[in-house]
Amino acid sequence: MLNESLVRELVEAEDLLPVIWKTMVRIWKPNGLLELEKLSPETLKEFYDEREEQMFRLEKFLSDMVSDLYELLLQRAINQDGSYVLKWLQGNNVVIIADSLSVREAALLPFWFPQLDFAEDQPFAVAPFPTLTESLAQKLLGVIAPSSGRDTEKFTYRYIAGPGALEQSFPEDRPLLIWLRLPDAELEQVTEAQTTKMADVLRVTVETLDELLQRLGGRKVVITSDHGYFYGASSKHFEEVSFRGLEQLPRERRAYRRGEASSLSPLEQDAFIGHGEWIALKGRYWRSGSGQNARHTSHGGLSLTEVLVPILEIVG
């Protein structure tokens, strides 16, 4: 992936992000040797771990080559007004916000859903900063928690907490926005003790989406995300930070209010980037966890897989 062709594309591009996104998708597209229907949890974990190493190398390469990469991502994230969701809410279209859906799952989902592909005119978006659920929820629903969302003048709204919460009515005469608590709810269970849990993340997400799509019939459906996530199952996936001021902060969150991180020294703050009341870990910086319950996933920060989110649509 890190070859002369990529360098040439980056140098010639008016906008770097489409080039970066295309490279990320290539990393996560399974090759012909990966038979997804026969995957064991162990094999899937190996796949995620190996591709995440490639992502680490890509992001390190890009941050070295493009000195203002994270300033660019931050500015785009600050300017995000939710239009990448709202633009689709017309007629009786349906938009599904799959919480934490990232480039990883988006590249794999077409195996189970051949009718699903990246939107031709906008295959990805930049999630709002910080990359926490509340950021997009506030812009679209005016609330911090999607579970508190209500219908608006522009669209009908439904919150689905998981596979057992699909028995809701879906009016067909106006746009419908669905906030699905997957894959995020399953990602929270991926820990040091549950290293093969990624198989369950995919399985539960695929099964729930399948039931949803069947219920939505022939309506136009777009699937996107509020943010992606950071995956760090080994030291080959992230750069260690061990700042004294971080011990009391939740490791599963990569964004903090400035008051929470006030004890960081100026040198330590080099690993962070901020705007307004928020400060977030940038790039591949993260803290190693300890114990069997240490999470392997997190979000809130400004890494490529957290801030660049897929936009998929039903085609054909």
Side-chain angles (χ1 to χ4, degrees), residues 77 127-133 135 226-228 255 280 299-303 306-308:
F129 179 85
T131 54
L132 299 170
T133 294
S135 298
D226 51 346
H227 54 75
H299 62 267
L302 205 70
S303 68
E306 288 170 285
V307 76
L308 300 184

Side-chain angles (χ1 to χ4, degrees), residues 234-307:
S234 85
S235 59
K236 296 179 180 179
H237 299 156
F238 61 93
E239 295 186 68
E240 177 71 33
V241 291
S242 54
F243 302 150
R244 186 174 60 252
L246 289 177
E247 293 98 333
Q248 304 306 316
L249 299 180
R251 179 177 170 272
E252 62 273 12
R253 182 158 53 88
R254 283 169 37 89
Y256 312 102
R257 287 184 166 81
R258 290 187 185 273
E260 295 178 280
S262 59
S263 61
L264 294 175
S265 71
L267 178 61
E268 292 167 342
Q269 291 184 18
D270 285 346
F272 289 81
I273 193 164
H275 175 74
E277 66 174 321
W278 290 97
I279 186 169
L281 283 163
K282 65 183 180 183
R284 309 298 295 195
Y285 289 112
W286 204 30
R287 288 183 292 152
S288 292
S290 59
Q292 293 298 294
N293 293 324
R295 286 268 300 271
H296 281 182
T297 64
S298 179
H299 62 267
L302 205 70
S303 68
L304 295 176
T305 52
E306 288 170 285
V307 76

